[in-house]
Amino acid sequence: MSQHVVVIGAGIVGVSAAIWLRRAGAEVTLLDRSEPGRGTSHGNGGVLAAAGVAPVTGPGLMRKSPGMLRDPEFPLFLRWPYLPRLLPWLRRYMSHANDADTRRISAGLVPIVSDSVAQHKALCADLGLADWVRDSDYCFAYTSRAAFEAEAYTWALRREAGFEPEIIEGGAVREFDPAYGPQITCIARLADHGFIADPGGYVRALAKAFEGMGGTIRRAEVEDITVLDEEVTSVLTDQGPLPCDDVLLATGVWSKPLMRKLGINVPLESERGYHIVFKDAEGGPSRPTMMAAGKFVATPMAEGLRCAGIVEFGGLKAGASKAPLALLRRQAKAAFPNLTAEEEIEWLGHRPAPSDSLPLIGQIGTSRVYTAFGHHHIGLTGGPKTGRLIAGLITGQPPNTDLTPYHPQRFDR
């Protein structure tokens, strides 16, 4: 009898896992309340950030954060009425802002992201989707060499992971890419990266290919997961129960309430992220660029230039704030003074942020309920690798990666 796996969540992680599960011979049903690729997987910066091995919670963050919140030009915002609900998570999150924890977290991120481009290409192999994955540099733009050197700690972590930047300075910056404004005088260029020019379209194309492999996609709201005698038996949806042998929970920040129903309280918050697409833009960068001062990434995409970033804490229910979008718009225009566009499209999404900045990948006890969520800033980058790892675990092909750092019950220990 075929092994039936229900994958809850049709973002990049869930769709990747579904494809690898089908390749392993499992019967797979992909569940989501919306269409594939419509949530957070749609709105990210599109970069396959293989060098994204440094968590936000580096040493000194505790000291710097009050000033960040007071600075109207710094891309950190807080919905103050939400602060009482945020505080328990925030205390745990900030407790990792030290050297030992930062290095531990970085060591956990390296296996998930460092071979990102290769993992995306492996995911697309034989599916006719190779053109979606574009090889490129990934650049970090600074106002000065001193600003670059101020991030020496983070760059040391990247170097330890095998990423050595080429430094471009002065007039050579404009020769490298004339889109950068005069305030940008130092570029740290990383080769061997990549990007997706339409992340939402990419996930939808993957989902269609999954169906072509014999997979099933159903739209339904998941209400609960039934576990009897410590093993899963079905997924309860608003359309009735769906019997299964295994369940994979890959619904990003919306995984938290389902985990709670399983008796596990995960310290997970929504880090609200914004983007603006400058539609049919001219005067933007020719390759993905992280603007260090504004902490946003600018990526040339099929629709135009997407500028994505900004951190806001305010939960899942509140609508978009005006201030983060206004700041993002100002910073984009300052970075690329000749930028023009036919239209501007605004978006708000929810990054799933665990308090220790590491995703939850593994099995809950012996229940045959598995998790693959909580990727914070690395969802698109690490989605295919995560899907491959968890599919191997589910189908009895143990991965050659130590999954201990990502254990879904680590917060109860």
Side-chain angles (χ1 to χ4, degrees):
M1 185 175 177
S2 176
Q3 178 184 13
H4 181 208
V5 184
V6 172
V7 177
I8 306 172
I12 183 60
V13 177
V15 172
S16 297
I19 289 172
W20 284 111
L21 285 164
R22 281 298 299 147
R23 285 175 172 160
E27 178 188 349
V28 185
T29 300
L30 184 61
L31 282 182
D32 201 297
R33 63 184 177 185
S34 185
E35 295 179 12
R38 294 294 183 186
T40 307
S41 289
H42 159 78
N44 58 69
V47 184
L48 306 184
V53 300
V56 175
T57 50
L61 181 63
M62 183 73 78
R63 171 177 49 82
K64 298 173 184 176
S65 53
M68 293 174 178
L69 280 170
R70 289 194 298 266
D71 183 354
E73 295 303 308
F74 193 85
L76 174 62
F77 294 83
L78 173 64
R79 291 282 188 103
W80 290 101
Y82 191 73
L83 182 58
R85 291 189 60 184
L86 181 68
L87 272 176
W89 175 89
L90 188 60
R91 290 191 187 100
R92 298 182 74 159
Y93 184 69
M94 296 299 288
S95 72
H96 298 294
N98 59 74
D99 179 66
D101 279 332
T102 300
R103 293 184 181 279
R104 174 182 58 80
I105 294 166
S106 180
L109 292 173
V110 170
I112 304 298
V113 303
S114 60
D115 59 348
S116 176
V117 176
Q119 291 295 329
H120 277 268
K121 289 181 178 180
L123 179 68
C124 292
D126 303 323
L127 299 180
L129 302 177
D131 290 345
W132 284 93
V133 184
R134 302 190 183 183
D135 296 297
S136 75
D137 299 333
Y138 185 25
C139 295
F140 292 74
Y142 296 90
T143 55
S144 66
R145 180 63 179 252
F148 164 72
E149 292 174 349
E151 294 188 353
Y153 182 90
T154 299
W155 279 105
L157 294 176
R158 293 179 181 133
R159 288 187 175 97
E160 288 171 17
F163 299 99
E164 180 69 38
E166 173 194 353
I167 305 303
I168 302 168
E169 295 185 85
V173 168
R174 242 66 57 194
E175 294 177 12
F176 178 68
D177 194 329
Y180 298 126
Q183 68 176 23
I184 305 301
T185 66
C186 180
I187 297 289
R189 171 185 171 269
L190 290 175
D192 302 322
H193 278 63
F195 70 102
I196 307 295
D198 177 3
Y202 174 54
V203 175
R204 289 190 290 278
L206 288 168
K208 185 176 180 180
F210 161 71
E211 286 186 298
M213 299 167 68
T216 300
I217 298 177
R218 289 180 55 178
R219 287 187 67 173
E221 185 83 35
V222 175
E223 298 173 344
D224 206 346
I225 299 170
T226 303
V227 178
L228 296 177
D229 298 326
E230 299 185 356
E231 279 197 11
V232 67
T233 60
S234 66
V235 174
L236 299 180
T237 77
D238 58 354
Q239 300 173 20
L242 181 60
C244 58
D245 301 300
D246 304 89
V247 171
L248 174 59
L249 190 54
T251 52
V253 72
W254 289 275
S255 301
K256 182 175 180 175
L258 287 173
M259 289 289 281
R260 188 180 294 120
K261 290 185 177 184
L262 294 168
I264 300 173
N265 185 24
V266 179
L268 183 74
E269 264 297 333
S270 163
E271 186 185 289
R272 294 154 58 91
Y274 292 81
H275 84 218
I276 297 175
V277 173
F278 295 91
K279 192 171 181 180
D280 299 325
E282 294 184 3
S286 58
R287 50 182 63 77
T289 303
M290 169 61 73
M291 310 306 300
K295 305 298 180 188
F296 74 95
V297 64
T299 307
M301 292 198 171
E303 195 174 19
L305 181 68
R306 178 176 294 184
C307 293
I310 308 291
V311 171
E312 183 187 48
F313 293 108
L316 290 167
K317 296 181 180 180
S321 302
K322 294 182 179 179
L325 288 162
L327 175 60
L328 188 55
R329 188 172 286 107
R330 289 198 304 273
Q331 290 176 331
K333 295 296 177 65
F336 311 109
N338 296 319
L339 180 66
T340 60
E342 294 294 323
E343 182 185 353
E344 295 180 8
I345 304 169
E346 301 174 348
W347 180 87
L348 163 66
H350 300 275
R351 305 182 190 101
S355 62
D356 66 355
S357 302
L358 289 172
L360 288 80
I361 307 170
Q363 183 178 189
I364 299 172
T366 59
S367 66
R368 300 183 70 167
V369 177
Y370 297 81
T371 62
F373 66 88
H375 286 72
H376 207 186
H377 292 241
I378 60 163
L380 180 67
T381 299
K385 181 66 170 286
T386 299
R388 195 172 194 170
L389 290 171
I390 201 67
L393 198 62
I394 293 170
T395 56
Q397 304 169 37
N400 58 3
T401 300
D402 180 13
L403 299 184
T404 304
Y406 325 111
H407 199 287
Q409 292 170 281
R410 65 184 182 267
F411 300 106
D412 294 336
R413 295 173 178 174

